[in-house]
Structures are given as C-alpha cells and as structure tokens.
Amino acid sequence: MITPNSVDKNIFNLILSLLESAEKRNNDELKYMNEIHNRVVDTNNNIIRIHNNKSVHYSNRNTVLYNKLQELFGNSDLMLDCFYKLKYNIGDYSHPHTDSYSDQTSLLMLSDNFTGGDFTLDSKQVNLNKKSMFVNFDSTKKHSVSEVLTGHRVVLVMLFQNKIKKA
C-alpha cells in the first residue's frame, strides 16, 4: 500500500510560485502531449477522458522548475519527461487507467478545498487529499479518481521515463 508523503512547506510554496510564472508549452509541444495522452487507455483499452478537465502543460524549458521537480520526485534512473497541472471541477473524474507512456507517475496535490475526488491505486484508496501531499508510483499500475462532488481538485502530474530505454 502506498502512503503519501508531504513536501516541505517552503519547497511547496516555491513550486507554486514557479508554476505561476512558468512558460506554457507551445503548439508543437502541445501536439506532442496530445499524442502522449491519446496513448493513455482505460482498462477496456478505450481512450480515457475526464469530463470538462482543465489542464495546463508546462514547457521543459522552465529549467529551475524542471530541475526542482526532477530532484524531488525523480531519481538517477528516471528523467522527467513532462508535467502538467490538472484541474478537476465538480462532476469530473478519471476512469481506471495506466499511464502507458511513462515509467513512473508522480502526483503532487495543489489544492484541498474539495470533496470526492478520491484517488485509487491498484484498487486501493490512497489518502491523497491535502495540499503538498504526493505519491510516486509505477505508471503501469491502474489508478483512478472518483467524481469530484464539491470544490476543485488540482494536482500536478509528472511523468518520468527511464533514462535507459528498454530493449
């Protein structure tokens, strides 16, 4: 069972500050991101969609932010490939799926003013519902988010790939 950890308050505030001023991905980068997201599938091999989701994809050219996220959530074998802020509004949810493109997924909670929006990993609920809480997990594990009932659930999603590609 995965137990979430928490980022130090000063580090969390630094990340929030860096996200506020971070450069967004340009059209070519967004096209690439859409190709990645089209490979995220649910348990029935259907494309997964989150109703009314609002996501902000950040450019990897944000070197200070990129390096901080790599340092905090990656390791010597993993490279941060992409990161984005995902906002779940009332009624939004995510079906069980894997992040087939990446090797490790890291989630950092950016909000805690919501009900519902429960995170499930490998059919087990993970208590990931407070600002600054995070989890790292194998991207091949099925995970989902239940319907948000009130407020807004905002999470920073980070997808890592192994530096050495599998043969």
Side-chain angles (χ1 to χ4, degrees):
M1 172 122 165
I2 289 190
T3 302
N5 293 304
S6 289
V7 173
D8 173 83
K9 182 180 177 181
N10 291 329
I11 298 292
F12 180 73
N13 288 334
L14 173 64
I15 291 170
L16 288 179
S17 174
L18 291 170
L19 286 171
E20 286 297 316
S21 61
E23 180 181 353
K24 310 304 185 283
R25 286 188 180 260
N26 63 35
N27 286 336
D28 288 339
E29 291 172 317
L30 287 173
K31 181 180 176 187
Y32 168 71
M33 287 304 305
N34 285 331
E35 289 173 8
I36 291 170
H37 284 268
N38 285 337
R39 287 184 291 216
V40 175
V41 296
D42 69 14
T43 54
N44 296 315
N45 292 325
N46 297 315
I47 301 302
I48 183 163
R49 293 286 179 240
I50 302 165
H51 300 293
N52 304 318
N53 84 61
K54 304 286 185 224
S55 61
V56 176
H57 294 263
Y58 297 98
S59 174
N60 288 355
R61 293 185 305 266
N62 298 299
T63 54
V64 174
L65 177 57
Y66 177 93
N67 290 337
K68 182 54 72 179
L69 297 176
Q70 176 68 44
E71 171 192 333
L72 290 170
F73 303 102
N75 64 48
S76 60
D77 296 330
L78 295 171
M79 175 182 67
L80 179 59
D81 185 63
C82 63
F83 55 101
Y84 56 97
K85 184 168 46 173
L86 185 57
K87 181 178 181 181
Y88 292 77
N89 295 312
I90 294 171
D92 293 349
Y93 61 91
S94 172
H95 289 291
H97 66 282
T98 62
D99 296 334
S100 56
Y101 170 77
S102 61
D103 296 298
Q104 175 184 298
T105 301
S106 297
L107 304 175
L108 173 64
M109 290 304 302
L110 302 178
S111 69
D112 55 13
N113 60 341
F114 62 91
T115 60
D118 298 319
F119 179 69
T120 302
L121 178 65
D122 262 355
S123 302
K124 296 178 183 90
Q125 190 169 330
V126 177
N127 189 20
L128 184 67
N129 57 9
K130 299 287 182 207
K131 284 182 188 178
S132 81
M133 294 179 87
F134 72 92
V135 293
N136 300 321
F137 57 93
D138 181 330
S139 298
T140 64
K141 304 266 186 199
K142 289 182 190 171
H143 54 281
S144 63
V145 175
S146 68
E147 183 177 350
V148 172
L149 303 174
T150 65
H152 304 281
R153 181 185 190 273
V154 184
V155 62
L156 184 65
V157 178
M158 295 160 277
L159 301 176
F160 291 84
Q161 288 188 344
N162 282 323
K163 289 182 180 177
I164 300 171
K165 292 289 181 197
K166 300 172 187 132

